[in-house]
Amino acid sequence: MRKLIGFIVTLTTIAAVYWIVPEYRRGFYAPYWAALYDTLPALLVAAPFYVAYVDRRQTDPEDSYAEIGAFVLSGAVPQRTEQIRQHVRSWIVKGFFLPLMFVYLCSTLGSILAGLEQPYRFDIMRWHAFAIDLLFMVDVLVAVVGYVFTLRVLDNHIRTVEPTVFGWLVCLACYEPINAATRAYLNYETGANWTAVMPSPALQVFWGSAILFCILIFVWSTVSFGLRFSNLTNRGIITCGPYRWIKHPAYVSKNLSWWLVSLPFLTAAGPAEALRHSAILLALNAIYALRAITEECHLSRDPDYVAYRDYISENGAVAPLKRLFAKASRSPIRRSG
């Protein structure tokens, strides 16, 4: 009973935040609310059975839900304060990102369906845009499923959450609603992207394929997480897919695709403007570099990640270059004369 009460209190608190915060009254989130209203009755019916099922299998049944329930029922002060903080942070992550990913999924699916309804014609740019929409649909679909099925019974529950304010800030700067301000201040686009500067179909195919390759690596990175996908959390260390060769394939491929799409270094306004737009995009790249640094600091508390980090350092894609550079730096400098 205590756990069920704790679960209901958690959901009620999330619902109250949605109701109070003006951001969630925007029409942007309408698809999420429609889906939530349809599925909430089933969730409330299934919750008691799930709580009872997990409770019988937990080695330590006194979890955060039990402590919250005990506080509500009898006023018992929670003893495991760090566990409660972890519980709160976990639900903030899920409550923030699930609506976003679901809306992104609906938007991308709408673009795909609209493209399929158009009369068929061979157009490189049209099929390139369709392929990008399809890849991003897979990406956000995996994200939605990952956030929905954050379940201990599947062993993909949240182990730890990013503990620093700075780590949260650099992550949230990449998503709505903060992302709008980030893009406004770091608008690197010159008004013309790669489709406007490619003179031949062959070059368009080559450049478009390079962009698709970057996005494919980005989506492959997300798919590699499976049900464990989540921002700002450790739900188990991922070592498969492109993570076998590099620690941050999603960030590297996404940022590289921005350079290929926008071409900020090519502008009719002159070299000064090209340098300015390139510097702005580098600033945006720096945000993702900071995300990578803060994530590594967080995950380094997990021995499994430390082992993975050391393995990539010795065997990753960049390891041969690092060894070559280290060897060159140790070579004696020959002086003539």
Side-chain angles (χ1 to χ4, degrees):
M1 176 59 72
R2 290 180 302 148
K3 288 188 178 182
L4 183 59
I5 294 296
F7 180 69
I8 293 174
V9 168
T10 300
L11 290 186
T12 303
T13 303
I14 295 292
V17 171
Y18 285 153
W19 180 70
I20 293 171
V21 177
E23 168 68 14
Y24 292 103
R25 293 178 175 269
R26 288 199 296 146
F28 175 81
Y29 293 98
Y32 178 70
W33 301 131
L36 192 61
Y37 292 147
D38 289 339
T39 57
L40 188 58
L43 173 63
L44 295 177
V45 169
F49 299 99
Y50 175 75
V51 170
Y53 179 83
V54 173
D55 184 59
R56 288 197 297 268
R57 286 159 177 78
Q58 282 183 279
T59 55
D60 183 11
E62 293 300 313
D63 59 10
S64 53
Y65 292 109
E67 293 220 352
I68 293 172
F71 175 76
V72 172
L73 292 174
S74 61
V77 178
Q79 299 299 312
R80 305 181 185 185
T81 55
E82 178 56 34
Q83 183 173 273
I84 297 297
R85 284 195 290 266
Q86 181 85 356
H87 175 86
V88 172
R89 290 195 294 261
S90 298
W91 273 97
I92 290 175
V93 168
K94 187 171 182 177
F96 178 83
F97 284 105
L98 179 56
L100 279 179
M101 297 302 166
F102 187 83
V103 172
Y104 292 158
L105 175 61
C106 293
S107 176
T108 308
L109 183 59
S111 297
I112 291 174
L113 294 176
L116 292 175
E117 291 175 354
Q118 296 180 10
Y120 173 81
R121 72 176 189 276
F122 181 76
D123 185 329
I124 294 175
M125 299 300 105
R126 175 184 170 185
W127 284 105
H128 182 269
F130 181 82
I132 289 177
D133 284 339
L134 194 62
L135 287 171
F136 277 125
M137 186 195 72
V138 174
D139 174 70
V140 291
L141 177 61
V142 171
V144 168
V145 172
Y147 283 114
V148 169
F149 293 99
T150 308
L151 303 174
R152 187 175 295 274
V153 71
L154 298 177
D155 193 35
N156 68 345
H157 57 287
I158 294 174
R159 276 75 166 173
T160 58
V161 182
E162 169 61 49
T164 67
V165 174
F166 184 71
W168 278 75
L169 288 177
V170 293
C171 177
L172 297 182
C174 304
Y175 296 93
E176 296 279 350
I178 303 176
N179 176 263
T182 304
R183 288 288 188 176
Y185 282 97
L186 299 179
N187 184 8
Y188 58 85
E189 297 179 353
T190 61
N193 58 21
W194 68 280
T195 59
V197 298
M198 298 296 158
S200 69
L203 190 55
Q204 289 177 355
V205 170
F206 171 78
W207 203 264
S209 298
I211 294 170
L212 285 175
F213 178 76
C214 289
I215 296 175
L216 180 63
I217 297 299
F218 170 74
V219 175
W220 186 19
S221 303
T222 301
V223 172
S224 298
F225 277 85
L227 292 177
R228 294 184 176 183
F229 178 85
S230 177
N231 287 292
L232 294 168
T233 63
N234 176 10
R235 295 173 63 183
I237 305 304
I238 305 301
T239 60
C240 60
Y243 290 93
R244 287 176 289 183
W245 301 289
I246 186 172
K247 288 183 291 185
H248 302 284
Y251 295 164
V252 172
S253 57
K254 175 187 278 190
N255 282 267
L256 181 57
S257 73
W258 290 340
W259 283 92
L260 294 177
V261 170
S262 62
L263 299 176
F265 45 84
L266 295 178
T267 173
E273 278 298 288
L275 180 62
R276 187 175 73 87
H277 284 282
S278 296
I280 293 173
L281 182 50
L282 283 174
L284 186 60
N285 298 154
I287 292 178
Y288 279 83
L290 291 173
R291 284 186 68 180
I293 292 170
T294 55
E295 285 177 9
E296 289 196 34
C297 290
H298 168 212
L299 295 176
S300 292
R301 303 180 181 193
D302 187 334
D304 290 341
Y305 182 78
V306 174
Y308 165 74
R309 181 192 63 196
D310 294 342
Y311 173 83
I312 291 296
S313 179
E314 292 296 325
N315 303 282
V318 186
L321 293 177
K322 291 169 60 178
R323 286 193 290 267
L324 183 62
F325 180 79
K327 183 178 179 181
S329 64
R330 290 194 301 266
S331 299
I333 300 176
R334 295 183 177 179
R335 299 181 182 272
S336 58

